[in-house]
């Protein structure tokens, strides 16, 4: 159902633009309208999120920022071996996420969109909200699966 809802949004960019134009502009409105944060978790709805984000970006002439936080929690261990092993796993997970995010960004860039990526070892919710604040983003597009995490930051 979530993917269908995102696909419907992606097919109706005129309505997206109309809703944005009808909102009341405030200070810095045009600058904020230039950045859309997309929280990418590589779940099955990632493709639908990409379509929705693309529709928004095209309609608003905005830059997309694909954000993925890699969170690896160490297991308690008295010998220290698990901490070392966790660090190795985290580095591998981050490298893999960078590659996947770059492939997604490349597909979006090939369609004519301006796209940046951010991928770090950090809580996904903290990274997304931090990037949105740092860049003064107008929108965060994310799956419903992580709503409570984002709202708590």
């Amino acid at each position: 159902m979530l993917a269908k809802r995102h696909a419907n949004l992606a097919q109706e960019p005129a309505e997206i633009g109309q809703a944005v134009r009808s909102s009341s502009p405030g200070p810095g409105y045009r600058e904020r309208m230039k950045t859309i944060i997309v929280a990418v978790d590589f779940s099955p709805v990632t493709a639908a999120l990409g379509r929705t984000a693309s529709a928004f970006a095209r309609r608003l002439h905005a830059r997309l920022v694909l954000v993925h936080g890699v969170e690896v929690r160490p297991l308690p261990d008295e010998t220290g071996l698990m901490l070392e092993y966790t660090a190795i796993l985290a580095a591998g997970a981050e490298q893999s996420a960078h590659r996947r995010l770059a492939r997604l960004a490349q597909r979006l860039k090939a369609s004519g969109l301006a796209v940046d990526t951010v991928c770090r070892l950090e809580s996904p919710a903290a990274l997304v909200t931090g990037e949105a604040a740092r860049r003064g983003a107008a929108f965060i597009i994310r799956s419903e699966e992580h709503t409570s995490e984002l709202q708590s930051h």
Side-chain angles (χ1 to χ4, degrees):
M1 183 163 94
L2 178 63
K4 182 177 180 184
R5 209 174 5 195
H6 284 291
N8 289 342
L9 281 174
Q11 293 169 359
E12 301 165 5
E15 291 179 22
I16 293 168
Q18 182 61 37
V20 170
R21 280 193 301 276
S22 67
S23 64
S24 170
Y29 177 76
R30 290 193 190 279
E31 291 76 26
R32 287 193 315 271
M33 292 306 300
K34 299 295 184 188
T35 303
I36 300 170
I37 301 291
V38 183
V40 177
D41 62 3
F42 304 116
S43 71
V45 299
T46 297
L49 289 175
R51 288 189 298 273
T52 299
S54 295
F56 270 110
R58 281 191 181 82
R59 183 68 180 163
L60 302 174
H61 306 286
R63 171 175 296 282
L64 292 176
V65 181
L66 308 178
V67 179
H68 179 77
V70 178
E71 188 169 35
V72 179
R73 298 177 189 183
L75 298 171
D77 176 34
E78 297 190 19
T79 66
L81 292 175
M82 286 305 289
L83 288 175
E84 185 177 333
Y85 182 66
T86 300
I88 293 168
L89 286 175
E94 185 179 20
Q95 287 175 355
S96 174
H98 271 287
R99 285 191 299 272
R100 292 177 74 184
L101 207 56
R103 283 193 301 268
L104 178 57
Q106 192 59 39
R107 285 193 300 269
L108 293 169
K109 286 178 182 179
S111 71
L113 294 170
V115 182
D116 292 334
T117 62
V118 177
C119 182
R120 284 199 297 270
L121 287 171
E122 189 173 335
S123 157
L127 183 58
V128 166
T129 55
E131 280 299 311
R134 188 175 76 75
R135 294 173 184 256
F139 298 101
I140 295 174
I141 299 177
R142 46 90 184 129
S143 69
E144 288 182 331
E145 185 176 328
H146 303 291
T147 301
S148 61
E149 292 174 15
L150 286 173
Q151 289 174 345
S152 68
H153 280 82

